[in-house]
Amino acid sequence: MQTGVIIVAAGSGERLGYGIPKAQVPLAGEPILAYALRGVIASGIADAICVAVPRHDETLRQVCGEVSEAMAADGTDCPPVLAIDGGTSRTDSVREALATLQGVDAVLVHDAARALAPPEVFQRVATALAHGGEAVIPVREMTDTVKMVEHSDNAAIAQDMVRETPDRTRLRVVQTPQGFTLQALTRAHAAADLFDDQQAAAVTDDAMLVESMGIPVYAVPGSDLSLKITTETDLVLAEALLQKYGS
Ligand code: C5P
């Protein structure tokens, strides 16, 4: 099975508040993207890697070159790494990258923001695809109780009120890398191409698109290390995890 990996790193990272694209933000002195790319290469599952970076971002293109050269110099078997301009939404970035990976059988899509996702998670997703899954996502069990809310009937008390409490034992938190056969992901993105802006904005992961086509999506164990770096607090947590567990 030939496997391509897409790393989406074209987001602005406004919520992190650094004034630079999130994938450039330093984590213990190195850009977030460097960790994400090293994790993918170290997993050994990628035959080709495509990284979507913000339009005309030379810094992140350079990070791609430096990481793969350094790993190759250390004797790691490095697949080709292609950096391309991403799109205005995450879905656009995936679609642009997918167009460069047409010779493969399977594609894993990974958020650069999940910089510390361990190689074993990539391997679990790739193994499930090799066993015949068309779509495979890594998940964690919920530790918090989750409530569904609606607008409150008395704004003087609070804006929201609880509508229901879903059964926590059946809920999962979803991470990346998410893996698909090339055919399933290509079909899903062709359908998403027809979405209006509101529909496109509602797409927060690739599995949603594949699910809506009736394709079964399998869930394998993710990792607590795969936290998505979105806020300043996440960055502090990621630095603490790096210190304790390394990368
Ligand atoms: O914005 P959010 O944190 O949900 O983005 C998830 C991932 O998608 C990030 O790694 C980000 O860089 C990527 N992204 C992208 N292109 C966009 C928007 C987000 O590659 N236009």
Side-chain angles (χ1 to χ4, degrees), residues 8-12 15 22 52 87-90 93 111-113 228-230:
V8 279
S12 63
R15 282 167 293 184
K22 178 156 66 180
T88 48
S89 69
R90 183 187 183 280
S93 295
D111 287 344
K228 183 171 163 201
I229 302 170
T230 308

